[in-house]
Amino acid sequence: MTDDNTGVRWLVLVIRIPAEPTRHRVAVWRELRKIGALSLGQGIWAVPDVPVFAEGTRRAVELAERAEGQAVTLTALGRSPQDAARFEAMFTAARTEDWTEFLADCDKFEAEIAKEIRNAKFTLAELEEEEQSLERLRRWHRDLTARDVFGAPEAAEAADRLTRCARDCEDYAERVFAALHRGEGDDL
């Protein structure tokens, strides 16, 4: 991953796809966003040259070629330590945006659990919905953790919040089962 002189090695993808049909551009864009690639400009993307990005970059290149486009993958290093640091900062800023969005979803999850408790909506159907939401948060956290190769500052808070969300969901589950055993819930 690193070079003795300049730090992290990067994969830079230069992708050209015909304008029509647009679904091909969208498919490549989605794949690159999914893996957390950093957009450097129209058709130019970068990721650290580490294994976690290999499959996603391979799929993006394959999608571009299948669309009768062109994809060139280059290996790059910063010319100076300052260049390397700027690139790393840009990538980390993108991960910070991801973590901020994740934390906002944790807020929504916690608010939803609190609302269900406040409204005494203790049903199996609602519990299943909340468990699915928690599972989505877990998958998202796992994906963000994998691509946050430089350790954005928000990552630790996100891990704590996910733990809290799991605790809240477990507390809600206990309340649902207690209500159902008392005959006060709807077991849809």
Side-chain angles (χ1 to χ4, degrees):
M1 176 167 99
T2 63
D3 177 89
D4 294 329
N5 299 326
T6 56
V8 177
R9 295 170 53 91
W10 294 83
L11 295 179
V12 177
L13 290 89
V14 181
I15 298 176
R16 295 181 60 188
I17 301 173
E20 295 296 328
T22 58
R23 72 178 182 275
H24 297 300
R25 285 179 179 274
V26 172
V28 172
W29 177 83
R30 280 187 178 145
E31 185 62 39
L32 291 166
R33 291 292 300 152
K34 179 180 164 186
I35 66 168
L38 181 62
S39 175
L40 301 176
Q42 188 171 352
I44 304 173
W45 298 80
V47 293
D49 188 5
V50 296
V52 72
F53 299 107
E55 182 60 22
T57 55
R58 185 199 62 73
R59 280 192 310 265
V61 167
E62 182 180 288
L63 286 167
E65 290 172 349
R66 199 178 311 153
E68 298 182 12
Q70 298 174 336
V72 175
T73 304
L74 306 168
T75 301
L77 297 168
R79 263 181 90 113
S80 70
Q82 294 82 10
D83 288 337
R86 276 192 291 271
F87 220 51
E88 184 176 319
M90 289 169 53
F91 190 82
T92 300
R95 298 300 67 83
T96 291
E97 289 177 19
D98 292 342
W99 285 122
T100 300
E101 186 178 351
F102 175 84
L103 290 167
D105 270 27
C106 287
D107 288 342
K108 291 175 190 173
F109 179 84
E110 291 172 329
E112 179 66 20
I113 292 280
K115 181 186 91 174
E116 301 307 347
I117 292 171
R118 189 173 51 254
N119 294 337
K121 189 170 183 184
F122 301 125
T123 67
L124 286 177
E126 193 60 41
L127 175 59
E128 185 174 313
E129 186 178 315
E130 300 310 334
E131 287 174 334
Q132 288 173 359
S133 294
L134 178 61
E135 197 51 43
R136 185 186 67 78
L137 285 173
R138 285 181 171 140
R139 284 190 310 271
W140 191 8
H141 184 270
R142 184 182 59 243
D143 292 346
L144 290 177
T145 299
R147 66 177 102 128
D148 186 12
V149 296
F150 303 115
E154 296 78 8
E157 179 184 356
D160 290 343
R161 289 295 297 284
L162 182 59
T163 299
R164 194 163 80 201
C165 287
R167 220 177 16 246
D168 289 352
C169 191
E170 185 60 34
D171 175 63
Y172 180 65
E174 289 175 15
R175 291 170 188 251
V176 168
F177 290 125
L180 291 174
H181 291 151
R182 286 191 310 267
E184 297 173 8
D186 175 6
D187 60 354
L188 297 175

Short mmCIF file of all heavy atoms in Angstrom, two decimals, residues 129-159:
data_model
loop_
_atom_site.label_atom_id
_atom_site.label_comp_id
_atom_site.label_asym_id
_atom_site.label_seq_id
_atom_site.Cartn_x
_atom_site.Cartn_y
_atom_site.Cartn_z
N GLU A 129 -39.62 -4.95 11.88
CA GLU A 129 -39.22 -3.78 11.08
C GLU A 129 -38.00 -3.09 11.69
O GLU A 129 -37.06 -2.72 10.98
CB GLU A 129 -40.40 -2.81 10.99
CG GLU A 129 -40.16 -1.64 10.09
CD GLU A 129 -41.39 -0.75 10.01
OE1 GLU A 129 -42.51 -1.28 9.86
OE2 GLU A 129 -41.22 0.48 10.09
N GLU A 130 -38.00 -2.93 13.01
CA GLU A 130 -36.87 -2.28 13.68
C GLU A 130 -35.61 -3.14 13.61
O GLU A 130 -34.51 -2.62 13.43
CB GLU A 130 -37.22 -1.95 15.14
CG GLU A 130 -38.41 -1.03 15.32
CD GLU A 130 -38.37 0.23 14.49
OE1 GLU A 130 -37.28 0.71 14.12
OE2 GLU A 130 -39.46 0.76 14.20
N GLU A 131 -35.77 -4.45 13.72
CA GLU A 131 -34.62 -5.34 13.60
C GLU A 131 -34.02 -5.28 12.19
O GLU A 131 -32.81 -5.32 12.02
CB GLU A 131 -35.00 -6.77 13.98
CG GLU A 131 -35.20 -6.93 15.47
CD GLU A 131 -35.71 -8.30 15.88
OE1 GLU A 131 -36.37 -8.98 15.05
OE2 GLU A 131 -35.47 -8.68 17.04
N GLN A 132 -34.87 -5.16 11.17
CA GLN A 132 -34.38 -5.02 9.80
C GLN A 132 -33.63 -3.70 9.64
O GLN A 132 -32.59 -3.65 8.98
CB GLN A 132 -35.54 -5.11 8.80
CG GLN A 132 -36.09 -6.50 8.67
CD GLN A 132 -37.35 -6.55 7.81
OE1 GLN A 132 -37.83 -5.54 7.32
NE2 GLN A 132 -37.89 -7.75 7.64
N SER A 133 -34.13 -2.65 10.26
CA SER A 133 -33.45 -1.35 10.20
C SER A 133 -32.09 -1.43 10.89
O SER A 133 -31.10 -0.89 10.39
CB SER A 133 -34.30 -0.26 10.86
OG SER A 133 -35.47 -0.04 10.13
N LEU A 134 -32.04 -2.11 12.01
CA LEU A 134 -30.77 -2.28 12.72
C LEU A 134 -29.79 -3.09 11.87
O LEU A 134 -28.61 -2.76 11.80
CB LEU A 134 -30.99 -2.95 14.07
CG LEU A 134 -29.72 -3.23 14.89
CD1 LEU A 134 -28.99 -1.93 15.23
CD2 LEU A 134 -30.08 -4.00 16.16
N GLU A 135 -30.28 -4.14 11.22
CA GLU A 135 -29.41 -4.95 10.39
C GLU A 135 -28.84 -4.13 9.23
O GLU A 135 -27.69 -4.28 8.84
CB GLU A 135 -30.15 -6.19 9.87
CG GLU A 135 -29.24 -7.27 9.35
CD GLU A 135 -28.12 -7.66 10.31
OE1 GLU A 135 -28.37 -7.80 11.52
OE2 GLU A 135 -26.98 -7.81 9.83
N ARG A 136 -29.65 -3.25 8.66
CA ARG A 136 -29.19 -2.36 7.60
C ARG A 136 -28.09 -1.44 8.12
O ARG A 136 -27.07 -1.24 7.47
CB ARG A 136 -30.36 -1.54 7.04
CG ARG A 136 -29.97 -0.67 5.86
CD ARG A 136 -31.11 0.24 5.42
NE ARG A 136 -31.45 1.26 6.38
CZ ARG A 136 -30.76 2.38 6.56
NH1 ARG A 136 -29.69 2.63 5.85
NH2 ARG A 136 -31.15 3.26 7.45
N LEU A 137 -28.28 -0.91 9.33
CA LEU A 137 -27.23 -0.07 9.94
C LEU A 137 -25.95 -0.87 10.15
O LEU A 137 -24.86 -0.35 9.92
CB LEU A 137 -27.71 0.50 11.28
CG LEU A 137 -28.71 1.65 11.22
CD1 LEU A 137 -29.21 1.98 12.63
CD2 LEU A 137 -28.11 2.87 10.55
N ARG A 138 -26.08 -2.10 10.58
CA ARG A 138 -24.88 -2.95 10.78
C ARG A 138 -24.13 -3.19 9.46
O ARG A 138 -22.90 -3.11 9.43
CB ARG A 138 -25.28 -4.29 11.40
CG ARG A 138 -25.62 -4.19 12.86
CD ARG A 138 -25.99 -5.54 13.44
NE ARG A 138 -26.10 -5.47 14.88
CZ ARG A 138 -27.04 -6.09 15.57
NH1 ARG A 138 -27.94 -6.85 14.96
NH2 ARG A 138 -27.09 -5.96 16.88
N ARG A 139 -24.87 -3.50 8.40
CA ARG A 139 -24.22 -3.72 7.08
C ARG A 139 -23.54 -2.44 6.61
O ARG A 139 -22.42 -2.48 6.11
CB ARG A 139 -25.25 -4.18 6.04
CG ARG A 139 -25.68 -5.62 6.17
CD ARG A 139 -26.49 -6.08 4.97
NE ARG A 139 -27.59 -5.19 4.63
CZ ARG A 139 -28.83 -5.27 5.11
NH1 ARG A 139 -29.13 -6.22 5.98
NH2 ARG A 139 -29.76 -4.42 4.74
N TRP A 140 -24.23 -1.34 6.77
CA TRP A 140 -23.69 -0.05 6.34
C TRP A 140 -22.42 0.26 7.13
O TRP A 140 -21.42 0.69 6.57
CB TRP A 140 -24.76 1.01 6.53
CG TRP A 140 -24.47 2.35 5.92
CD1 TRP A 140 -23.43 2.69 5.08
CD2 TRP A 140 -25.24 3.53 6.09
NE1 TRP A 140 -23.53 4.01 4.73
CE2 TRP A 140 -24.64 4.54 5.34
CE3 TRP A 140 -26.39 3.82 6.81
CZ2 TRP A 140 -25.14 5.85 5.29
CZ3 TRP A 140 -26.90 5.12 6.75
CH2 TRP A 140 -26.26 6.10 6.00
N HIS A 141 -22.45 0.05 8.44
CA HIS A 141 -21.28 0.29 9.28
C HIS A 141 -20.11 -0.58 8.84
O HIS A 141 -18.97 -0.11 8.75
CB HIS A 141 -21.63 0.04 10.76
CG HIS A 141 -20.51 0.37 11.68
ND1 HIS A 141 -19.56 -0.57 12.05
CD2 HIS A 141 -20.16 1.52 12.28
CE1 HIS A 141 -18.70 0.00 12.86
NE2 HIS A 141 -19.03 1.26 13.02
N ARG A 142 -20.40 -1.84 8.58
CA ARG A 142 -19.35 -2.76 8.12
C ARG A 142 -18.73 -2.27 6.81
O ARG A 142 -17.50 -2.24 6.65
CB ARG A 142 -19.93 -4.16 7.96
CG ARG A 142 -18.91 -5.22 7.58
CD ARG A 142 -19.53 -6.60 7.40
NE ARG A 142 -20.56 -6.58 6.36
CZ ARG A 142 -21.85 -6.85 6.57
NH1 ARG A 142 -22.28 -7.19 7.75
NH2 ARG A 142 -22.72 -6.80 5.57
N ASP A 143 -19.57 -1.85 5.87
CA ASP A 143 -19.07 -1.35 4.59
C ASP A 143 -18.25 -0.07 4.75
O ASP A 143 -17.19 0.07 4.14
CB ASP A 143 -20.23 -1.09 3.61
CG ASP A 143 -20.92 -2.38 3.17
OD1 ASP A 143 -20.36 -3.48 3.39
OD2 ASP A 143 -22.02 -2.27 2.60
N LEU A 144 -18.75 0.85 5.56
CA LEU A 144 -18.01 2.10 5.78
C LEU A 144 -16.68 1.84 6.48
O LEU A 144 -15.66 2.44 6.13
CB LEU A 144 -18.84 3.08 6.61
CG LEU A 144 -20.05 3.70 5.94
CD1 LEU A 144 -20.81 4.59 6.90
CD2 LEU A 144 -19.66 4.46 4.69
N THR A 145 -16.68 0.95 7.43
CA THR A 145 -15.45 0.61 8.14
C THR A 145 -14.41 0.04 7.18
O THR A 145 -13.23 0.39 7.24
CB THR A 145 -15.73 -0.38 9.29
OG1 THR A 145 -16.64 0.24 10.21
CG2 THR A 145 -14.46 -0.76 10.02
N ALA A 146 -14.86 -0.81 6.27
CA ALA A 146 -13.94 -1.43 5.31
C ALA A 146 -13.29 -0.39 4.41
O ALA A 146 -12.10 -0.48 4.10
CB ALA A 146 -14.67 -2.47 4.47
N ARG A 147 -14.05 0.60 3.98
CA ARG A 147 -13.46 1.57 3.05
C ARG A 147 -12.82 2.77 3.73
O ARG A 147 -12.17 3.58 3.08
CB ARG A 147 -14.48 1.99 2.01
CG ARG A 147 -15.64 2.74 2.48
CD ARG A 147 -16.53 3.12 1.29
NE ARG A 147 -17.67 2.26 1.21
CZ ARG A 147 -18.92 2.69 1.13
NH1 ARG A 147 -19.17 3.96 1.06
NH2 ARG A 147 -19.90 1.86 1.09
N ASP A 148 -12.98 2.91 5.03
CA ASP A 148 -12.37 4.03 5.77
C ASP A 148 -10.93 3.68 6.14
O ASP A 148 -10.60 3.51 7.31
CB ASP A 148 -13.20 4.35 7.01
CG ASP A 148 -12.73 5.58 7.74
OD1 ASP A 148 -11.90 6.35 7.19
OD2 ASP A 148 -13.18 5.80 8.88
N VAL A 149 -10.08 3.57 5.13
CA VAL A 149 -8.73 3.05 5.34
C VAL A 149 -7.83 3.99 6.13
O VAL A 149 -6.81 3.55 6.67
CB VAL A 149 -8.05 2.66 4.01
CG1 VAL A 149 -8.79 1.52 3.35
CG2 VAL A 149 -7.95 3.84 3.06
N PHE A 150 -8.17 5.27 6.21
CA PHE A 150 -7.32 6.21 6.95
C PHE A 150 -7.90 6.57 8.32
O PHE A 150 -7.28 7.31 9.07
CB PHE A 150 -7.11 7.49 6.13
CG PHE A 150 -6.51 7.21 4.79
CD1 PHE A 150 -7.22 7.48 3.63
CD2 PHE A 150 -5.25 6.66 4.67
CE1 PHE A 150 -6.68 7.21 2.39
CE2 PHE A 150 -4.70 6.38 3.43
CZ PHE A 150 -5.42 6.66 2.28
N GLY A 151 -9.08 6.08 8.63
CA GLY A 151 -9.66 6.30 9.96
C GLY A 151 -10.20 7.70 10.17
O GLY A 151 -9.62 8.49 10.91
N ALA A 152 -11.33 8.00 9.55
CA ALA A 152 -11.98 9.29 9.77
C ALA A 152 -12.34 9.43 11.24
O ALA A 152 -12.68 8.44 11.90
CB ALA A 152 -13.23 9.41 8.90
N PRO A 153 -12.27 10.64 11.77
CA PRO A 153 -12.53 10.84 13.20
C PRO A 153 -13.91 10.38 13.66
O PRO A 153 -14.08 9.97 14.81
CB PRO A 153 -12.40 12.36 13.40
CG PRO A 153 -11.76 12.89 12.17
CD PRO A 153 -11.92 11.87 11.08
N GLU A 154 -14.89 10.40 12.78
CA GLU A 154 -16.25 10.03 13.16
C GLU A 154 -16.45 8.52 13.31
O GLU A 154 -17.49 8.09 13.82
CB GLU A 154 -17.23 10.55 12.10
CG GLU A 154 -17.29 12.06 11.99
CD GLU A 154 -16.12 12.66 11.22
OE1 GLU A 154 -15.32 11.92 10.62
OE2 GLU A 154 -15.99 13.89 11.23
N ALA A 155 -15.50 7.74 12.90
CA ALA A 155 -15.66 6.28 12.94
C ALA A 155 -15.88 5.75 14.36
O ALA A 155 -16.73 4.87 14.57
CB ALA A 155 -14.44 5.60 12.31
N ALA A 156 -15.16 6.27 15.32
CA ALA A 156 -15.32 5.80 16.70
C ALA A 156 -16.71 6.14 17.24
O ALA A 156 -17.36 5.30 17.87
CB ALA A 156 -14.24 6.40 17.59
N GLU A 157 -17.17 7.35 16.97
CA GLU A 157 -18.51 7.73 17.40
C GLU A 157 -19.56 6.84 16.73
O GLU A 157 -20.54 6.43 17.36
CB GLU A 157 -18.79 9.20 17.06
CG GLU A 157 -20.17 9.66 17.47
CD GLU A 157 -20.50 11.08 17.05
OE1 GLU A 157 -19.63 11.78 16.50
OE2 GLU A 157 -21.66 11.48 17.27
N ALA A 158 -19.35 6.53 15.46
CA ALA A 158 -20.30 5.68 14.74
C ALA A 158 -20.37 4.29 15.36
O ALA A 158 -21.46 3.72 15.49
CB ALA A 158 -19.91 5.60 13.27
N ALA A 159 -19.24 3.74 15.76
CA ALA A 159 -19.24 2.42 16.40
C ALA A 159 -20.01 2.47 17.72
O ALA A 159 -20.80 1.57 18.02
CB ALA A 159 -17.81 1.95 16.62
#
